[in-house]
Amino acid sequence: MREKIIYFFFIANMLFFSCQRNQSFIHEFTDGSWNYYSPVKFTFNIQDTTSAYSSYLFFRNNINYEYQNIYFLIETIHLGKRINLDTVQYVIADKFGRWEGRGMGQTKDNYFILNEDVVYNKGDYDIIIKHGMRKDLLIGTNKLGFKITKHD
């Protein structure tokens, strides 16, 4: 019975999101850590090639995070071919250690603009994200998200 319920919600989400102008994805890290050798992959589909899109990253960290910034190594793949490889840095704490993100308590949510007004070709895209920090195991990471929105 439980499998049927999960299957129903999976299908309902697929139908709901396939008709939407926005596509959002969240990856939750196990044990609050992110290994450099465990990239996060998000897949999205573009059907409308006449509209521009903007993409955003979401990063949730906790107080165990050791750095005031984060580097993301982002690879974009379309039809099995790499079309972009980029390194981006975002500041998540000031020089005094105060968190820049939203939230109370031990977790902070950070929202970043990745790209604005990009026109994509039709088809499936993979966004593969690794962290680019000094240590292979990044402690204090809770979630990573990706969102793509279509403009009118």
Side-chain angles (χ1 to χ4, degrees), residues 74-101:
I74 303 169
E75 182 178 12
T76 307
I77 298 173
H78 177 57
L79 301 176
K81 295 181 183 177
R82 179 171 46 189
I83 60 171
N84 193 30
L85 181 61
D86 200 6
T87 302
V88 294
Q89 175 198 15
Y90 297 105
V91 174
I92 60 173
D94 67 16
K95 66 181 181 178
F96 302 108
R98 290 184 296 248
W99 298 111
E100 298 286 340

PDB file of all heavy atoms in Angstrom, residues 74-101:
ATOM      1  N   ILE A  74      30.405  23.874 -11.350  1.00  0.00           N
ATOM      2  CA  ILE A  74      29.131  23.567 -11.996  1.00  0.00           C
ATOM      3  C   ILE A  74      29.361  23.187 -13.453  1.00  0.00           C
ATOM      4  O   ILE A  74      29.915  23.965 -14.227  1.00  0.00           O
ATOM      5  CB  ILE A  74      28.170  24.762 -11.899  1.00  0.00           C
ATOM      6  CG1 ILE A  74      27.972  25.146 -10.433  1.00  0.00           C
ATOM      7  CG2 ILE A  74      26.844  24.439 -12.577  1.00  0.00           C
ATOM      8  CD1 ILE A  74      27.257  26.447 -10.228  1.00  0.00           C
ATOM      9  N   GLU A  75      28.911  21.986 -13.779  1.00  0.00           N
ATOM     10  CA  GLU A  75      29.016  21.482 -15.147  1.00  0.00           C
ATOM     11  C   GLU A  75      27.613  21.366 -15.724  1.00  0.00           C
ATOM     12  O   GLU A  75      26.721  20.814 -15.087  1.00  0.00           O
ATOM     13  CB  GLU A  75      29.695  20.113 -15.125  1.00  0.00           C
ATOM     14  CG  GLU A  75      29.917  19.500 -16.464  1.00  0.00           C
ATOM     15  CD  GLU A  75      30.647  18.170 -16.368  1.00  0.00           C
ATOM     16  OE1 GLU A  75      30.786  17.612 -15.265  1.00  0.00           O
ATOM     17  OE2 GLU A  75      31.066  17.679 -17.423  1.00  0.00           O
ATOM     18  N   THR A  76      27.425  21.893 -16.929  1.00  0.00           N
ATOM     19  CA  THR A  76      26.142  21.809 -17.615  1.00  0.00           C
ATOM     20  C   THR A  76      26.295  20.889 -18.816  1.00  0.00           C
ATOM     21  O   THR A  76      27.191  21.087 -19.640  1.00  0.00           O
ATOM     22  CB  THR A  76      25.661  23.197 -18.074  1.00  0.00           C
ATOM     23  OG1 THR A  76      25.662  24.091 -16.957  1.00  0.00           O
ATOM     24  CG2 THR A  76      24.260  23.120 -18.660  1.00  0.00           C
ATOM     25  N   ILE A  77      25.406  19.900 -18.903  1.00  0.00           N
ATOM     26  CA  ILE A  77      25.456  18.908 -19.973  1.00  0.00           C
ATOM     27  C   ILE A  77      24.127  18.916 -20.710  1.00  0.00           C
ATOM     28  O   ILE A  77      23.066  18.923 -20.095  1.00  0.00           O
ATOM     29  CB  ILE A  77      25.758  17.510 -19.406  1.00  0.00           C
ATOM     30  CG1 ILE A  77      27.135  17.514 -18.743  1.00  0.00           C
ATOM     31  CG2 ILE A  77      25.670  16.446 -20.492  1.00  0.00           C
ATOM     32  CD1 ILE A  77      27.478  16.260 -18.008  1.00  0.00           C
ATOM     33  N   HIS A  78      24.195  18.924 -22.042  1.00  0.00           N
ATOM     34  CA  HIS A  78      23.006  18.864 -22.891  1.00  0.00           C
ATOM     35  C   HIS A  78      23.251  17.808 -23.960  1.00  0.00           C
ATOM     36  O   HIS A  78      24.260  17.855 -24.667  1.00  0.00           O
ATOM     37  CB  HIS A  78      22.735  20.223 -23.527  1.00  0.00           C
ATOM     38  CG  HIS A  78      21.582  20.248 -24.473  1.00  0.00           C
ATOM     39  ND1 HIS A  78      20.308  19.874 -24.096  1.00  0.00           N
ATOM     40  CD2 HIS A  78      21.501  20.593 -25.773  1.00  0.00           C
ATOM     41  CE1 HIS A  78      19.504  19.999 -25.138  1.00  0.00           C
ATOM     42  NE2 HIS A  78      20.206  20.425 -26.174  1.00  0.00           N
ATOM     43  N   LEU A  79      22.322  16.869 -24.051  1.00  0.00           N
ATOM     44  CA  LEU A  79      22.418  15.776 -25.027  1.00  0.00           C
ATOM     45  C   LEU A  79      23.745  15.026 -24.921  1.00  0.00           C
ATOM     46  O   LEU A  79      24.369  14.665 -25.916  1.00  0.00           O
ATOM     47  CB  LEU A  79      22.216  16.293 -26.448  1.00  0.00           C
ATOM     48  CG  LEU A  79      20.873  16.982 -26.723  1.00  0.00           C
ATOM     49  CD1 LEU A  79      20.844  17.539 -28.132  1.00  0.00           C
ATOM     50  CD2 LEU A  79      19.722  16.018 -26.486  1.00  0.00           C
ATOM     51  N   GLY A  80      24.188  14.820 -23.679  1.00  0.00           N
ATOM     52  CA  GLY A  80      25.404  14.053 -23.435  1.00  0.00           C
ATOM     53  C   GLY A  80      26.711  14.799 -23.644  1.00  0.00           C
ATOM     54  O   GLY A  80      27.780  14.221 -23.480  1.00  0.00           O
ATOM     55  N   LYS A  81      26.650  16.073 -23.981  1.00  0.00           N
ATOM     56  CA  LYS A  81      27.856  16.857 -24.212  1.00  0.00           C
ATOM     57  C   LYS A  81      27.945  18.005 -23.222  1.00  0.00           C
ATOM     58  O   LYS A  81      26.956  18.693 -22.969  1.00  0.00           O
ATOM     59  CB  LYS A  81      27.874  17.422 -25.629  1.00  0.00           C
ATOM     60  CG  LYS A  81      27.950  16.366 -26.700  1.00  0.00           C
ATOM     61  CD  LYS A  81      27.984  16.999 -28.068  1.00  0.00           C
ATOM     62  CE  LYS A  81      27.998  15.922 -29.134  1.00  0.00           C
ATOM     63  NZ  LYS A  81      27.971  16.481 -30.474  1.00  0.00           N
ATOM     64  N   ARG A  82      29.138  18.216 -22.693  1.00  0.00           N
ATOM     65  CA  ARG A  82      29.344  19.340 -21.783  1.00  0.00           C
ATOM     66  C   ARG A  82      29.302  20.631 -22.576  1.00  0.00           C
ATOM     67  O   ARG A  82      30.033  20.812 -23.551  1.00  0.00           O
ATOM     68  CB  ARG A  82      30.670  19.230 -21.058  1.00  0.00           C
ATOM     69  CG  ARG A  82      30.880  20.424 -20.130  1.00  0.00           C
ATOM     70  CD  ARG A  82      32.036  20.324 -19.217  1.00  0.00           C
ATOM     71  NE  ARG A  82      33.238  19.868 -19.877  1.00  0.00           N
ATOM     72  CZ  ARG A  82      34.343  19.534 -19.229  1.00  0.00           C
ATOM     73  NH1 ARG A  82      34.388  19.581 -17.929  1.00  0.00           N
ATOM     74  NH2 ARG A  82      35.408  19.144 -19.890  1.00  0.00           N
ATOM     75  N   ILE A  83      28.405  21.543 -22.172  1.00  0.00           N
ATOM     76  CA  ILE A  83      28.297  22.825 -22.857  1.00  0.00           C
ATOM     77  C   ILE A  83      28.837  23.977 -22.017  1.00  0.00           C
ATOM     78  O   ILE A  83      29.053  25.057 -22.536  1.00  0.00           O
ATOM     79  CB  ILE A  83      26.842  23.117 -23.294  1.00  0.00           C
ATOM     80  CG1 ILE A  83      25.903  23.162 -22.101  1.00  0.00           C
ATOM     81  CG2 ILE A  83      26.393  22.092 -24.318  1.00  0.00           C
ATOM     82  CD1 ILE A  83      24.514  23.664 -22.422  1.00  0.00           C
ATOM     83  N   ASN A  84      29.052  23.717 -20.707  1.00  0.00           N
ATOM     84  CA  ASN A  84      29.575  24.773 -19.851  1.00  0.00           C
ATOM     85  C   ASN A  84      30.202  24.148 -18.611  1.00  0.00           C
ATOM     86  O   ASN A  84      29.694  23.168 -18.077  1.00  0.00           O
ATOM     87  CB  ASN A  84      28.460  25.744 -19.448  1.00  0.00           C
ATOM     88  CG  ASN A  84      28.996  27.013 -18.820  1.00  0.00           C
ATOM     89  OD1 ASN A  84      30.103  27.455 -19.134  1.00  0.00           O
ATOM     90  ND2 ASN A  84      28.224  27.612 -17.939  1.00  0.00           N
ATOM     91  N   LEU A  85      31.306  24.748 -18.173  1.00  0.00           N
ATOM     92  CA  LEU A  85      31.957  24.378 -16.922  1.00  0.00           C
ATOM     93  C   LEU A  85      32.313  25.677 -16.238  1.00  0.00           C
ATOM     94  O   LEU A  85      33.005  26.520 -16.825  1.00  0.00           O
ATOM     95  CB  LEU A  85      33.191  23.523 -17.187  1.00  0.00           C
ATOM     96  CG  LEU A  85      33.959  23.033 -15.971  1.00  0.00           C
ATOM     97  CD1 LEU A  85      33.071  22.148 -15.100  1.00  0.00           C
ATOM     98  CD2 LEU A  85      35.196  22.271 -16.412  1.00  0.00           C
ATOM     99  N   ASP A  86      31.817  25.871 -15.029  1.00  0.00           N
ATOM    100  CA  ASP A  86      31.982  27.157 -14.373  1.00  0.00           C
ATOM    101  C   ASP A  86      32.306  26.958 -12.901  1.00  0.00           C
ATOM    102  O   ASP A  86      31.904  25.966 -12.287  1.00  0.00           O
ATOM    103  CB  ASP A  86      30.694  27.971 -14.514  1.00  0.00           C
ATOM    104  CG  ASP A  86      30.899  29.462 -14.298  1.00  0.00           C
ATOM    105  OD1 ASP A  86      32.056  29.899 -14.150  1.00  0.00           O
ATOM    106  OD2 ASP A  86      29.893  30.184 -14.284  1.00  0.00           O
ATOM    107  N   THR A  87      33.024  27.904 -12.344  1.00  0.00           N
ATOM    108  CA  THR A  87      33.298  27.954 -10.915  1.00  0.00           C
ATOM    109  C   THR A  87      32.700  29.251 -10.393  1.00  0.00           C
ATOM    110  O   THR A  87      32.991  30.323 -10.925  1.00  0.00           O
ATOM    111  CB  THR A  87      34.808  27.932 -10.634  1.00  0.00           C
ATOM    112  OG1 THR A  87      35.371  26.755 -11.198  1.00  0.00           O
ATOM    113  CG2 THR A  87      35.079  27.960  -9.135  1.00  0.00           C
ATOM    114  N   VAL A  88      31.854  29.143  -9.374  1.00  0.00           N
ATOM    115  CA  VAL A  88      31.255  30.337  -8.777  1.00  0.00           C
ATOM    116  C   VAL A  88      31.502  30.324  -7.280  1.00  0.00           C
ATOM    117  O   VAL A  88      31.582  29.269  -6.650  1.00  0.00           O
ATOM    118  CB  VAL A  88      29.737  30.446  -9.082  1.00  0.00           C
ATOM    119  CG1 VAL A  88      29.489  30.660 -10.560  1.00  0.00           C
ATOM    120  CG2 VAL A  88      28.996  29.229  -8.596  1.00  0.00           C
ATOM    121  N   GLN A  89      31.648  31.505  -6.728  1.00  0.00           N
ATOM    122  CA  GLN A  89      31.855  31.670  -5.300  1.00  0.00           C
ATOM    123  C   GLN A  89      30.745  32.544  -4.738  1.00  0.00           C
ATOM    124  O   GLN A  89      30.384  33.562  -5.342  1.00  0.00           O
ATOM    125  CB  GLN A  89      33.205  32.323  -5.004  1.00  0.00           C
ATOM    126  CG  GLN A  89      33.389  32.614  -3.522  1.00  0.00           C
ATOM    127  CD  GLN A  89      34.476  33.627  -3.237  1.00  0.00           C
ATOM    128  OE1 GLN A  89      34.941  34.347  -4.110  1.00  0.00           O
ATOM    129  NE2 GLN A  89      34.858  33.706  -1.983  1.00  0.00           N
ATOM    130  N   TYR A  90      30.248  32.137  -3.585  1.00  0.00           N
ATOM    131  CA  TYR A  90      29.239  32.934  -2.885  1.00  0.00           C
ATOM    132  C   TYR A  90      29.670  33.110  -1.432  1.00  0.00           C
ATOM    133  O   TYR A  90      30.168  32.181  -0.800  1.00  0.00           O
ATOM    134  CB  TYR A  90      27.874  32.263  -2.925  1.00  0.00           C
ATOM    135  CG  TYR A  90      27.319  32.116  -4.318  1.00  0.00           C
ATOM    136  CD1 TYR A  90      27.308  30.888  -4.955  1.00  0.00           C
ATOM    137  CD2 TYR A  90      26.814  33.215  -5.006  1.00  0.00           C
ATOM    138  CE1 TYR A  90      26.797  30.755  -6.239  1.00  0.00           C
ATOM    139  CE2 TYR A  90      26.316  33.097  -6.285  1.00  0.00           C
ATOM    140  CZ  TYR A  90      26.305  31.855  -6.896  1.00  0.00           C
ATOM    141  OH  TYR A  90      25.808  31.729  -8.158  1.00  0.00           O
ATOM    142  N   VAL A  91      29.479  34.314  -0.912  1.00  0.00           N
ATOM    143  CA  VAL A  91      29.782  34.620   0.483  1.00  0.00           C
ATOM    144  C   VAL A  91      28.562  34.264   1.316  1.00  0.00           C
ATOM    145  O   VAL A  91      27.441  34.664   0.985  1.00  0.00           O
ATOM    146  CB  VAL A  91      30.146  36.113   0.649  1.00  0.00           C
ATOM    147  CG1 VAL A  91      30.329  36.464   2.112  1.00  0.00           C
ATOM    148  CG2 VAL A  91      31.390  36.439  -0.164  1.00  0.00           C
ATOM    149  N   ILE A  92      28.774  33.510   2.389  1.00  0.00           N
ATOM    150  CA  ILE A  92      27.650  33.128   3.244  1.00  0.00           C
ATOM    151  C   ILE A  92      27.812  33.605   4.684  1.00  0.00           C
ATOM    152  O   ILE A  92      26.911  33.429   5.499  1.00  0.00           O
ATOM    153  CB  ILE A  92      27.377  31.609   3.205  1.00  0.00           C
ATOM    154  CG1 ILE A  92      28.572  30.823   3.668  1.00  0.00           C
ATOM    155  CG2 ILE A  92      26.964  31.187   1.807  1.00  0.00           C
ATOM    156  CD1 ILE A  92      28.300  29.336   3.802  1.00  0.00           C
ATOM    157  N   ALA A  93      28.961  34.226   4.996  1.00  0.00           N
ATOM    158  CA  ALA A  93      29.170  34.825   6.316  1.00  0.00           C
ATOM    159  C   ALA A  93      30.087  36.029   6.146  1.00  0.00           C
ATOM    160  O   ALA A  93      30.939  36.056   5.260  1.00  0.00           O
ATOM    161  CB  ALA A  93      29.786  33.827   7.285  1.00  0.00           C
ATOM    162  N   ASP A  94      29.900  37.034   7.004  1.00  0.00           N
ATOM    163  CA  ASP A  94      30.781  38.203   6.914  1.00  0.00           C
ATOM    164  C   ASP A  94      32.111  37.906   7.599  1.00  0.00           C
ATOM    165  O   ASP A  94      32.331  36.815   8.133  1.00  0.00           O
ATOM    166  CB  ASP A  94      30.091  39.449   7.477  1.00  0.00           C
ATOM    167  CG  ASP A  94      29.844  39.392   8.979  1.00  0.00           C
ATOM    168  OD1 ASP A  94      30.446  38.539   9.678  1.00  0.00           O
ATOM    169  OD2 ASP A  94      29.035  40.206   9.467  1.00  0.00           O
ATOM    170  N   LYS A  95      33.015  38.879   7.601  1.00  0.00           N
ATOM    171  CA  LYS A  95      34.360  38.656   8.156  1.00  0.00           C
ATOM    172  C   LYS A  95      34.358  38.427   9.672  1.00  0.00           C
ATOM    173  O   LYS A  95      35.348  37.964  10.224  1.00  0.00           O
ATOM    174  CB  LYS A  95      35.287  39.802   7.781  1.00  0.00           C
ATOM    175  CG  LYS A  95      34.922  41.133   8.398  1.00  0.00           C
ATOM    176  CD  LYS A  95      35.880  42.206   7.936  1.00  0.00           C
ATOM    177  CE  LYS A  95      35.543  43.542   8.572  1.00  0.00           C
ATOM    178  NZ  LYS A  95      36.498  44.569   8.160  1.00  0.00           N
ATOM    179  N   PHE A  96      33.241  38.714  10.319  1.00  0.00           N
ATOM    180  CA  PHE A  96      33.126  38.490  11.754  1.00  0.00           C
ATOM    181  C   PHE A  96      32.435  37.170  12.079  1.00  0.00           C
ATOM    182  O   PHE A  96      32.211  36.850  13.240  1.00  0.00           O
ATOM    183  CB  PHE A  96      32.360  39.649  12.411  1.00  0.00           C
ATOM    184  CG  PHE A  96      32.999  40.980  12.173  1.00  0.00           C
ATOM    185  CD1 PHE A  96      32.419  41.885  11.311  1.00  0.00           C
ATOM    186  CD2 PHE A  96      34.194  41.321  12.789  1.00  0.00           C
ATOM    187  CE1 PHE A  96      33.007  43.118  11.083  1.00  0.00           C
ATOM    188  CE2 PHE A  96      34.795  42.539  12.559  1.00  0.00           C
ATOM    189  CZ  PHE A  96      34.194  43.447  11.701  1.00  0.00           C
ATOM    190  N   GLY A  97      32.061  36.418  11.043  1.00  0.00           N
ATOM    191  CA  GLY A  97      31.434  35.120  11.248  1.00  0.00           C
ATOM    192  C   GLY A  97      29.916  35.150  11.351  1.00  0.00           C
ATOM    193  O   GLY A  97      29.300  34.131  11.654  1.00  0.00           O
ATOM    194  N   ARG A  98      29.307  36.315  11.097  1.00  0.00           N
ATOM    195  CA  ARG A  98      27.844  36.393  11.121  1.00  0.00           C
ATOM    196  C   ARG A  98      27.297  35.875   9.798  1.00  0.00           C
ATOM    197  O   ARG A  98      27.733  36.311   8.726  1.00  0.00           O
ATOM    198  CB  ARG A  98      27.390  37.834  11.363  1.00  0.00           C
ATOM    199  CG  ARG A  98      27.687  38.320  12.768  1.00  0.00           C
ATOM    200  CD  ARG A  98      27.121  39.705  12.983  1.00  0.00           C
ATOM    201  NE  ARG A  98      27.774  40.666  12.102  1.00  0.00           N
ATOM    202  CZ  ARG A  98      28.578  41.641  12.494  1.00  0.00           C
ATOM    203  NH1 ARG A  98      28.807  41.816  13.773  1.00  0.00           N
ATOM    204  NH2 ARG A  98      29.122  42.461  11.628  1.00  0.00           N
ATOM    205  N   TRP A  99      26.331  34.980   9.878  1.00  0.00           N
ATOM    206  CA  TRP A  99      25.767  34.358   8.685  1.00  0.00           C
ATOM    207  C   TRP A  99      24.973  35.366   7.872  1.00  0.00           C
ATOM    208  O   TRP A  99      24.259  36.198   8.415  1.00  0.00           O
ATOM    209  CB  TRP A  99      24.864  33.187   9.066  1.00  0.00           C
ATOM    210  CG  TRP A  99      25.590  32.091   9.779  1.00  0.00           C
ATOM    211  CD1 TRP A  99      25.450  31.729  11.080  1.00  0.00           C
ATOM    212  CD2 TRP A  99      26.596  31.226   9.241  1.00  0.00           C
ATOM    213  NE1 TRP A  99      26.295  30.692  11.384  1.00  0.00           N
ATOM    214  CE2 TRP A  99      27.006  30.359  10.270  1.00  0.00           C
ATOM    215  CE3 TRP A  99      27.185  31.089   7.982  1.00  0.00           C
ATOM    216  CZ2 TRP A  99      27.983  29.383  10.086  1.00  0.00           C
ATOM    217  CZ3 TRP A  99      28.158  30.119   7.796  1.00  0.00           C
ATOM    218  CH2 TRP A  99      28.537  29.281   8.837  1.00  0.00           C
ATOM    219  N   GLU A 100      25.086  35.289   6.570  1.00  0.00           N
ATOM    220  CA  GLU A 100      24.381  36.174   5.653  1.00  0.00           C
ATOM    221  C   GLU A 100      22.993  35.649   5.296  1.00  0.00           C
ATOM    222  O   GLU A 100      22.135  36.401   4.899  1.00  0.00           O
ATOM    223  CB  GLU A 100      25.189  36.348   4.357  1.00  0.00           C
ATOM    224  CG  GLU A 100      26.546  36.976   4.544  1.00  0.00           C
ATOM    225  CD  GLU A 100      26.484  38.454   4.823  1.00  0.00           C
ATOM    226  OE1 GLU A 100      25.459  39.091   4.524  1.00  0.00           O
ATOM    227  OE2 GLU A 100      27.476  38.977   5.344  1.00  0.00           O
ATOM    228  N   GLY A 101      22.778  34.357   5.373  1.00  0.00           N
ATOM    229  CA  GLY A 101      21.533  33.751   4.923  1.00  0.00           C
ATOM    230  C   GLY A 101      20.364  34.009   5.849  1.00  0.00           C
ATOM    231  O   GLY A 101      20.472  34.664   6.887  1.00  0.00           O
TER     232      GLY A 101
END
